[in-house]
Each structure stands twice: as structure tokens, then as C-alpha cells.
Amino acid sequence: MSEFDNADESNRDANAEFDTGFDTQFGALLADPTMWESPSDDLSDRIVSAISSESVNAPEPSAVRSGSHGRRSWARPALLGAAAAIAFLFGGLVLLSGLSGVEDVDSFSAELVPTGLIGDQSGAITVTSFDSGVRIELDAASLPRRDNGSFYAGWLKTFDGDLFPVGTFHDGVEVTLWAGVELERAEMFTITLEAAAGPGDAGQGSSGEVVLRTQINP
């Protein structure tokens, strides 16, 4: 076997080894569920920095002679090209995330005002508007717990006078309530004292015994 044949055989082995390694690594990357999470804002910068560091710190590639002309190994440029392709893929994911229709949300917080019905209680709500409705996160830990058929209920009153139930709860610790109403229609949020009532009972509606309230759109 000639010197040229030996060089060609070495190149084929190197190519096969690189292809196998690259396919395995790329397949593992695609199988990783974190690859499909929303990338962080600084991801592109970190990828570019890693590629630049690899370019500076990597050893010089060995030369493989073919005939009378020297030819450097293309393994390192190919690796850099693969890294650039991955960076491009992540950039595409960032772009798709931006174009995926993630809705802008309107959110604000408000203090709850006690009515004095059960003492000088306090609390606050964080209201967030979504396409599906309004989410109300309640923090009113001072409310005494109600059990055995007694509970609290949250309500949204609209400017039209409609009253929307947003949920019931035993105490005011880490409570999340929902209302299927547009935020701009909501005028006031209230918490009332309620007791279990049977089907068809007039008590199914609001008792009117408000303990905390706040205006949504003054």
C-alpha cells in the first residue's frame, strides 16, 4: 500500500469517527427536554463566548499530507461549524418563542380595606388579566379560618352591576381565584362570609356580608 493509500485510509477512519461522534452528541442534545424550554436572554452571548474560547484555546490541528500538497485536518473547523449550527438553532428557538403568540399580561396589586364586620382585618390582592379571564392572588392571612360548612367567597362586581363568583376558601393564605370576566369591566373585588346552601336555596348567591373590599378600576 502506498503512502497516498495510507493517508486516504486514515482520512476515511477519521471521517467515520467524527460522523459517529457528532451524530451521538447531536442526538443527545435533541433528546434533552431542556433544549425545548424557553432559552434565557443571554444564551446567544454565552454560546458565542464558548465558541470564541474554543477557537483560542484549542491546539493547532495536525496536517495530513496528500500528494505533494499539505492539507490540514478539517475536524476542528467542522466542530466549530457544528457549534455555530447549534447557536443558530437556539437563535431560531428564541425567535419562535417571541413569535409564538405569548400574550402580554396586565397585572397590578391593591390593598384590601376592612369593613369592620369581623374586626380590623387586612390583606392584598394581585390581579393579572389573561385572554382566559382574570386571576386574583389573595394574601389575607389575618382572616380567621372558617370550617364546618362556613367559608369565605370572592366576588367581582362589574360596572354593569353584575356579580361574578371567583371562588371559595377557608382562610386567606396563598389563595388563587379566577373570574371569567374582562378586567376593564371589573369595578370592585369583595370577600364575603358564606355558609353551605342546598340546591335552589337563595343562599347560593352572595350573603352580602362583606369583610374585605377594594376597587379594581376606580
Side-chain angles (χ1 to χ4, degrees):
M1 183 178 295
S2 68
E3 180 182 354
F4 297 153
D5 293 334
N6 287 333
D8 290 341
E9 184 67 26
S10 297
N11 285 340
R12 283 194 295 271
D13 292 342
N15 292 348
E17 181 179 355
F18 174 78
D19 290 341
T20 301
F22 178 76
D23 290 344
T24 301
Q25 294 177 14
F26 196 69
L29 284 172
L30 293 179
D32 187 350
T34 60
M35 285 282 291
W36 306 107
E37 296 179 354
S38 297
S40 59
D41 293 338
D42 64 340
L43 180 61
S44 296
D45 292 338
R46 290 191 285 112
I47 291 176
V48 172
S49 177
I51 295 174
S52 299
S53 176
E54 174 66 18
S55 300
V56 171
N57 297 327
E60 286 296 322
S62 59
V64 178
R65 297 195 59 81
S66 177
S68 59
H69 300 286
R71 183 174 61 186
R72 291 184 179 275
S73 170
W74 50 267
R76 179 183 168 196
L79 285 173
L80 294 178
I86 294 174
F88 179 78
L89 173 62
F90 275 112
L93 290 176
V94 172
L95 177 62
L96 288 175
S97 177
L99 298 177
S100 61
V102 176
E103 59 186 292
D104 293 330
V105 297
D106 185 13
S107 181
F108 65 92
S109 297
E111 296 293 324
L112 294 171
V113 179
T115 64
L117 183 62
I118 57 172
D120 190 20
Q121 308 301 320
S122 63
I125 57 172
T126 298
V127 181
T128 306
S129 176
F130 297 91
D131 287 344
S132 58
V134 175
R135 183 182 69 196
I136 301 172
E137 295 172 283
L138 169 66
D139 179 14
S142 66
L143 287 176
R145 183 176 179 85
R146 291 172 62 83
D147 288 303
N148 301 319
S150 296
F151 52 89
Y152 297 99
W155 307 85
L156 271 185
K157 180 183 177 183
T158 69
F159 289 105
D160 299 328
D162 296 327
L163 197 61
F164 286 80
V166 298
T168 60
F169 48 96
H170 289 297
D171 59 39
V173 179
E174 296 183 356
V175 178
T176 300
L177 308 167
W178 283 90
V181 61
E182 297 79 7
L183 180 59
E184 60 270 18
R185 292 184 58 201
E187 178 185 16
M188 181 174 291
F189 170 77
T190 59
I191 295 175
T192 61
L193 301 176
E194 301 293 342
D201 193 315
Q204 286 283 346
S206 171
S207 68
E209 298 179 331
V210 178
V211 295
L212 290 170
R213 60 157 56 99
T214 189
Q215 295 229 243
I216 300 297
N217 289 303

